[in-house]
Amino acid sequence: MKYISTRGQAPALDFEDVLLTGLAPDGGLYVPEKLPSFSLTEIRSWRDLPYDELAYRVLKPFVAGFIEDDEFRTMLHDTYAAFGHKAVAPVRQLDHNEYVLELFHGPTLAFKDFALQLLGRLLDHALEKRGEKAVIMGATSGDTGSAAIEGCRRCANIDIFILHPHQRVSEVQRRQMTTVLSDNIHNIAVEGNFDDCQRMVKESFRDQSFLRGERRLVAVNSINWARIMAQIVYYFYCALNLGGPERRMAFSVPTGNFGDIFAGYLALKMGLPISQLIVATNRNDVLHRILSQNQYEARPLSHTLSPSMDIVVSSNFERLLFDLYDRDGESIAQLMDNMNQGAVTLDEARMAEARKVFDSCSVDDETTCNTIRTVFEESGYLLDPHTAIGVHAARQVRRHPDQPMITLGTAHPVKFAEAVEKAGMTYPQLPHHLQDLMTREERCTVLPDDRIKVQSFMADQIFGPG
Ligand SMILES: *Cc1c(COP(=O)(O)O)cnc(C)c1O
């Protein structure tokens, strides 16, 4: 399968190169040139498959030519066998026709494990094939960093450097990163904020000379195609478990960068009967403004009780726009250019097309806490603040009460104690495999907000001092 850029000015690549590349050289994002699609008969025949086998069927077309079938199958088996629940992505019922798809049974208790556990293995396979080694560098305000570290801790060909703002991530989140003691894992606490960390990462990607031409930097943020791809599977898994593809159903997705929900859109395009996709955002509502008012404009960041959705622009939305604009890269390049200069109004007819399946809702902190409390009273089930936003949005803008409505449960509530306590709930217990997290040994280096110092620290770790 070939992959093309949303801005139309970069050469098409195969899966292996897309995996190692990140952004396209024209600034666009890679998408499949032609999406695979499955018939209802084929989808129906997968009804009894366990998660890893289903993943194999759904993902095989995307990696054709990159990896042998048997090897891919084993890789998927190992990836999902490490999850803390036998069903991998179990479904919980909240009410009649209302469900939560629990995506937090991976090692770091958030849905990002579904993609990053697989990404680490795919990257290692690609590097092994090429006889190369790579460096992952990323900035995190919490979830992505720990999931990337867990995903790569056993990768022989990868050194990973994760920058987090010193003393500005929660203790659980910090410990999930710093207690991973493998030699290839390097945590850097930067004396600055998240934006400072992100800026250093961006600058390092632009000028990689500190790696002496011997290593390449690989991005593991959600622009990486392989992450989106891995997330398609659980839409199929959930639908098949609730009577699909015979029954149509709706999904509500707590959204920041539009990665997770874009995977749902792809599942729909690939043949899964989905009747509605709800974009659930917190106060950082750029996506809600686009979908409801056709206004595409960045606004200053608000800090909320759902920090993993605190974003200014949603980079993956460009992938949807590419389809809405009939895959015309030139139009997208123009739009993104205008967007950088200020607000953009999108073509009304194209947005109407998007609204056939997408709805949106923006939820503030107070409503988030109320939802956590209400759902607990209704069913004794404790939501994390991100999932609570999804549940509230689902209840607000649902179109078909006669169909199942599934909210993606993106994180375990134990990761977001502040919101849980503000909602008046008791702080939940750490799951079994993390019981000793608060007493494990930590390893982390505190560095000033200075790109040269950070890069020379990295070079020392990779090549040895001197
Ligand atoms: C990353 C994250 C999100 C947002 O996912 P996107 O793919 O960026 O839309 C939502 N909830 C949690 C808990 C997350 O970690």
Side-chain angles (χ1 to χ4, degrees), residues 52 81 289 330 367:
D52 57 332
R289 280 181 283 120
E330 222 168 291
T367 311

Side-chain angles (χ1 to χ4, degrees), residues 38 54-64 72 76 80 118 229-233 270:
F38 307 115
L54 178 68
Y56 173 69
R57 310 300 159 97
V58 174
L59 300 182
K60 202 163 105 111
F62 293 109
V63 300
F72 189 46
L76 289 165
Y80 296 109
L118 180 61
M229 171 188 99
Q231 293 168 13
I232 299 170
V233 178
M270 290 162 70

Side-chain angles (χ1 to χ4, degrees), residues 109-112 142-144 173 222 227-228 231 234 253-262 280 287 306-311 314 316 384-387 408-412 415-416:
L109 312 179
F111 83 92
K112 293 187 171 71
D143 280 353
T144 309
Q173 291 192 322
S222 71
R227 278 185 62 179
I228 306 275
Q231 293 168 13
Y234 45 69
V253 187
T255 308
N257 236 331
F258 204 76
D260 210 4
I261 193 163
F262 185 69
L287 288 167
S306 44
S308 301
M309 287 155 48
D310 288 349
I311 47 88
S314 295
N316 278 300
D384 103 289
H386 305 80
T387 311
L408 301 201
T410 51
H412 191 290
K415 295 191 82 169
F416 299 98

Side-chain angles (χ1 to χ4, degrees), residues 356-377:
K356 283 185 182 162
V357 63
F358 286 100
D359 282 287
S360 64
C361 182
S362 156
V363 182
D364 63 21
D365 278 351
E366 193 188 336
T367 311
T368 305
C369 290
N370 288 340
T371 308
I372 294 176
R373 203 160 35 236
T374 308
V375 168
F376 190 80
E377 282 162 8

Side-chain angles (χ1 to χ4, degrees), residues 34 64 86 90 111 119 122 125 163 165 179 198 226 235 243 260-261 268 272 297 306 347 356 437 466:
K34 190 171 175 304
K86 286 280 266 180
F111 83 92
L119 182 64
L122 289 167
H125 181 82
L163 282 57
T179 59
Q198 212 165 25
Y235 287 90
D260 210 4
I261 193 163
L268 167 64
L272 190 67
E297 180 192 17
S306 44
D347 185 86
K356 283 185 182 162
L437 183 69

Side-chain angles (χ1 to χ4, degrees), residues 82-379:
F83 277 50
H85 194 295
K86 286 280 266 180
V88 184
V91 181
R92 273 280 208 144
Q93 186 159 12
L94 294 186
D95 195 350
H96 177 65
N97 264 344
E98 191 188 30
Y99 303 86
V100 169
L101 176 62
E102 294 188 341
L103 300 176
F104 47 75
H105 294 285
T108 73
L109 312 179
F111 83 92
K112 293 187 171 71
D113 289 328
F114 276 83
L116 284 161
Q117 286 290 312
L118 180 61
L119 182 64
R121 288 176 165 88
L122 289 167
L123 284 171
D124 221 27
H125 181 82
L127 293 165
E128 197 69 43
K129 250 167 98 173
R130 294 175 172 224
E132 286 178 22
K133 288 190 187 293
V135 175
I136 285 173
M137 184 180 188
T140 190
S141 50
D143 280 353
T144 309
S146 55
I149 286 171
E150 280 293 340
C152 298
R153 64 192 296 177
R154 291 183 193 84
C155 296
N157 302 302
I158 300 172
D159 275 296
I160 173 160
F161 294 84
I162 298 294
L163 282 57
H164 71 261
H166 186 41
Q167 294 176 338
R168 293 192 202 198
V169 300
S170 77
E171 183 165 10
V172 170
Q173 291 192 322
R174 187 193 71 239
R175 286 183 163 273
Q176 282 189 315
M177 299 191 279
T178 56
T179 59
V180 179
L181 302 179
S182 322
D183 288 340
N184 62 335
I185 305 293
H186 310 276
N187 279 286
I188 302 176
V190 174
E191 292 170 322
N193 59 29
F194 173 63
D195 290 336
D196 299 325
C197 298
Q198 212 165 25
R199 184 174 27 78
M200 271 194 270
V201 172
K202 274 196 185 139
E203 287 169 2
S204 303
F205 269 86
R206 221 171 292 137
D207 178 3
Q208 303 188 14
S209 55
F210 68 106
L211 296 174
R212 305 171 190 176
E214 291 175 38
R215 299 279 187 106
R216 70 157 91 209
L217 276 188
V218 172
V220 292
N221 52 15
S222 71
I223 59 161
N224 189 306
W225 164 258
R227 278 185 62 179
I228 306 275
M229 171 188 99
Q231 293 168 13
I232 299 170
V233 178
Y234 45 69
Y235 287 90
F236 278 92
Y237 185 72
C238 177
L240 285 164
N241 274 292
L242 291 176
E246 272 65 34
R247 287 170 100 190
R248 286 157 64 78
M249 48 196 88
F251 288 89
S252 176
V253 187
T255 308
N257 236 331
F258 204 76
D260 210 4
I261 193 163
F262 185 69
Y265 165 83
L266 294 174
L268 167 64
K269 291 269 146 184
M270 290 162 70
L272 190 67
I274 294 176
S275 57
Q276 184 186 15
L277 286 166
I278 299 173
V279 174
T281 74
N282 61 25
R283 290 281 300 283
N284 296 287
D285 62 348
V286 58
L287 288 167
H288 176 57
R289 280 181 283 120
I290 296 174
L291 285 161
S292 60
Q293 301 160 30
N294 195 356
Q295 177 207 54
Y296 195 8
E297 180 192 17
R299 294 249 178 98
L301 187 77
S302 307
H303 290 281
T304 72
L305 290 174
S306 44
S308 301
M309 287 155 48
D310 288 349
I311 47 88
V312 173
V313 288
S314 295
S315 19
N316 278 300
F317 193 68
E318 180 169 341
R319 288 185 156 121
L320 178 67
L321 283 176
F322 184 59
D323 273 11
L324 294 176
Y325 279 76
D326 304 322
R327 311 203 117 207
D328 174 14
E330 222 168 291
S331 302
I332 300 303
Q334 187 69 55
L335 263 178
M336 292 301 146
D337 226 34
N338 295 346
M339 169 81 184
N340 283 337
Q341 338 248 317
V344 172
T345 302
L346 299 167
D347 185 86
E348 190 49 53
R350 299 184 197 273
M351 290 319 288
E353 194 57 35
R355 286 189 205 106
K356 283 185 182 162
V357 63
F358 286 100
D359 282 287
S360 64
C361 182
S362 156
V363 182
D364 63 21
D365 278 351
E366 193 188 336
T367 311
T368 305
C369 290
N370 288 340
T371 308
I372 294 176
R373 203 160 35 236
T374 308
V375 168
F376 190 80
E377 282 162 8
E378 290 170 357
S379 57

